[in-house]
Amino acid sequence: FLTSSMHIGALRWHFLLQSLEDLHKNLGQLGSCLLVIQGEYETVLRDHVQQWNITQVTLDAEMEPFYKDMEANIRRLGAELGFEVLSLVGHSLYNTQRILDLNGGSPPLTYKRFLHILSLLGDPEVPVRNLTAEDFQRCRAPEPGLAECYRVPLPVDLKISSESLSPWRGGETEGLQRLEQHLTDQGWVTSFTKPRTIPNSLLPSTTGLSPYFSMGCLSVRTFFYRLSNIYAQAKHHSLPPLSLQGQLLWREFFYTVASATPNFTQMAGNPICLQISWYKDAERLHKWKTAQTGFPWIDAIMTQLRQEGWIHHLARHAVACFLTRGDLWISWEEGMKVFEELLLDADYSINAGNWMWLSASAFFHQYTRIFCPVRFGKRTDPQGNYIRKYLPILKNFPSKYIYEPWTASEEEQKQAGCIIGQDYPFPMVNHKEASDHNLQLMKQVREEQHR
């Protein structure tokens, strides 16, 4: 089911399987267990409803088109086979349909209007309480051997490499530990503002909880209310859209807009997206994806993404701008597909929404702001420690050359043990010329479509 809707890379599969294994272990401590059945969901339900005497099927009420289709099919099956279908809003803070109903379809939902509607709705529903051992006492114990028959698959069962280099481990247990670790520093929580975090710090300068929310290991409502309690005890705290709660509301905003927008993950037929004649260049796209652009800051980010499955949001801004309106003028859809494959927190609504935003195709209109692939990283990491970690071929360059190694003399390149054009590529574009040219293209596109 997942592979028919998304292209998921090995790291995300590892994270998912670890999450399921953790869930299985935690359910075991409550006297229950997790049975994982593989197959087409309609066939699986038909086979097991009567065999196991299933009377109720529950699922998250989702916003994405393929999940909506699945829910409709399951409801149809329930009517046919005689089981109840219970779907509850759990993956988001609010019921997105209520927000859309209050907006009334017009005017278009901006972030400012979205926040106004939330103020009318009040706080999201309180999190559902955690299940306890008593909740499972009425459940039938599975037949002997059933748990082994329907165990959580191993990577080898899914023909995935058994090695995972990512430092991120899936599961509720790990997610809760990260949550507690961040919430102990209440000063950091109350003063958090998104722009002040550092994209090239060697440890995440944000919470790093997004993979756990994306996979359902952590409840966003639990996080929202834990933050509310900390804010209530503080004299001052940061506010949306820059605060930690503000980050959850951005997530909510993209879910809401995506649920109401046809063809949200593509340009054609997408009513909120600028229609742009992007270049089709498979070779340039491949260089960007495989960290061969010749700009160390960009290549280090793409290397971290491939190795670990996570990069800071400002690092995402940098590589997205470089691929689209900044330097290569390649469609945001291509970048979105790469992120979908490589990111642990890849998400239909947020991934597409951010790519439209960063390519200035929707939402964001300050398109004259273009990230420099040299200066942007240098501002927060002048010594280039991030580049030295992810591009060890450049680690011996002096700091003054680490972001622009092609400016070092031949002798200095030899001393660093890396010849540009041989051991590491020359820049694939002249940033100044490319960005100036693309800025003119963008101005032209926007003027034409405004008319």
Side-chain angles (χ1 to χ4, degrees):
F1 171 66
L2 281 170
T3 51
S4 68
S5 306
M6 297 175 76
H7 181 46
I8 298 176
L11 292 185
R12 189 162 160 90
W13 274 116
H14 274 281
F15 193 91
L16 172 59
L17 296 181
Q18 289 162 0
S19 300
L20 291 174
E21 194 58 61
D22 185 62
L23 177 57
H24 175 60
K25 188 182 82 178
N26 291 343
L27 287 172
Q29 291 169 357
L30 295 170
S32 184
C33 75
L34 176 70
L35 304 180
V36 178
I37 310 175
Q38 295 184 61
E40 292 289 337
Y41 67 89
E42 290 193 47
T43 308
V44 164
L45 279 173
R46 284 188 183 279
D47 290 347
H48 291 81
V49 162
Q50 290 177 320
Q51 184 185 338
W52 289 356
N53 190 27
I54 291 171
T55 57
Q56 187 186 76
V57 171
T58 65
L59 64 152
D60 264 347
E62 292 278 4
M63 294 70 74
E64 285 88 348
F66 44 89
Y67 282 125
K68 283 181 177 176
D69 290 346
M70 181 182 75
E71 183 171 339
N73 288 336
I74 290 174
R75 288 191 180 282
R76 181 177 47 76
L77 272 178
E80 179 190 332
L81 301 176
F83 59 81
E84 179 193 1
V85 178
L86 180 66
S87 77
L88 297 168
V89 175
H91 195 56
S92 55
L93 288 169
Y94 294 89
N95 182 333
T96 55
Q97 191 55 51
R98 284 191 67 200
I99 298 171
L100 292 167
D101 290 345
L102 284 171
N103 189 49
S106 181
L109 189 63
T110 62
Y111 186 71
K112 188 174 179 181
R113 182 164 173 77
F114 171 76
L115 290 181
H116 172 66
I117 292 171
L118 293 193
S119 70
L120 301 177
L121 287 174
D123 282 347
E125 292 176 27
V126 176
V128 176
R129 67 180 175 82
N130 286 333
L131 295 173
T132 65
E134 288 71 36
D135 291 305
F136 291 95
Q137 286 177 352
R138 290 170 313 201
C139 297
R140 291 169 301 165
E143 298 163 24
L146 205 60
E148 181 53 36
C149 198
Y150 295 108
R151 63 175 171 77
V152 176
L154 299 169
V156 68
D157 298 331
L158 302 178
K159 299 182 174 59
I160 296 166
S161 163
S162 57
E163 285 188 11
S164 171
L165 299 173
S166 177
W168 302 80
R169 182 162 186 84
E172 181 190 32
T173 303
E174 179 78 18
L176 286 172
Q177 283 175 357
R178 283 181 180 267
L179 179 70
E180 295 302 336
Q181 178 189 333
H182 283 292
L183 295 185
T184 51
D185 187 350
Q186 298 196 0
W188 180 82
V189 169
T190 54
S191 62
F192 178 95
T193 55
K194 188 174 175 181
R196 287 193 203 149
T197 57
I198 298 172
N200 38 12
S201 58
L202 297 184
L203 292 171
S205 57
T206 52
T207 65
L209 293 175
S210 55
Y212 300 93
F213 294 137
S214 175
M215 203 65 83
C217 305
L218 271 184
S219 160
V220 287
R221 296 185 197 182
T222 296
F223 189 40
F224 183 92
Y225 276 98
R226 292 287 298 277
L227 290 173
S228 294
N229 292 339
I230 292 173
Y231 292 162
Q233 295 167 29
K235 285 185 180 177
H236 305 286
H237 61 84
S238 51
L239 297 169
L242 303 179
S243 64
L244 281 171
Q245 274 191 349
Q247 305 317 296
L248 293 181
L249 298 182
W250 274 115
R251 176 181 187 269
E252 205 76 8
F253 173 72
F254 281 132
Y255 279 153
T256 306
V257 177
S259 70
T261 306
N263 305 307
F264 191 71
T265 55
Q266 61 190 58
M267 180 178 75
N270 182 338
I272 67 168
C273 183
L274 271 181
Q275 303 298 299
I276 297 174
S277 298
W278 300 105
Y279 299 149
K280 288 182 170 57
D281 194 323
E283 184 184 346
R284 283 186 158 197
L285 175 63
H286 181 74
K287 284 182 177 178
W288 174 82
K289 181 179 177 179
T290 56
Q292 294 292 310
T293 68
F295 289 95
W297 162 232
I298 299 296
D299 291 340
I301 294 169
M302 295 305 290
T303 302
Q304 183 188 17
L305 173 61
R306 183 168 294 279
Q307 287 179 1
E308 301 179 6
W310 185 90
I311 48 176
H312 187 279
H313 68 271
L314 289 177
R316 301 178 194 206
H317 291 196
V319 294
C321 183
F322 185 89
L323 180 72
T324 57
R325 62 191 173 86
D327 294 80
L328 303 185
W329 201 254
I330 290 174
S331 173
W332 61 268
E333 291 177 61
E334 300 297 338
M336 178 193 70
K337 289 172 195 167
V338 172
F339 273 26
E340 183 176 88
E341 176 191 352
L342 299 179
L343 273 176
L344 294 176
D345 59 20
D347 186 296
Y348 173 94
S349 304
I350 302 168
N351 192 22
N354 273 316
W355 273 97
M356 276 189 275
W357 184 296
L358 293 164
S359 64
S361 295
F363 308 114
F364 175 74
H365 301 295
Q366 292 175 311
Y367 62 91
T368 54
R369 289 170 55 191
I370 292 173
F371 297 104
C372 175
V374 174
R375 292 195 307 273
F376 186 25
K378 194 184 281 189
R379 211 171 52 227
T380 48
D381 179 24
Q383 301 305 312
N385 293 325
Y386 178 81
I387 290 171
R388 295 179 207 280
K389 176 178 178 179
Y390 291 105
L391 296 179
I393 188 73
L394 301 176
K395 69 180 181 188
N396 294 326
F397 274 95
S399 299
K400 65 177 177 178
Y401 296 127
I402 192 81
Y403 285 89
E404 308 171 87
W406 63 90
T407 61
S409 67
E410 190 177 343
E411 186 56 37
E412 286 165 320
Q413 291 179 30
K414 283 178 182 172
Q415 285 176 0
C418 174
I419 305 299
I420 304 304
Q422 181 179 307
D423 304 309
Y424 179 76
F426 279 107
M428 61 188 293
V429 293
N430 178 312
H431 170 68
K432 176 80 171 69
E433 291 175 6
S435 58
D436 285 351
H437 175 70
N438 292 347
L439 185 57
Q440 293 310 311
L441 285 178
M442 184 60 81
K443 278 182 179 171
Q444 191 179 332
V445 167
R446 298 182 83 87
E447 284 169 7
E448 285 173 1
Q449 294 195 27
H450 182 67
R451 280 203 297 273

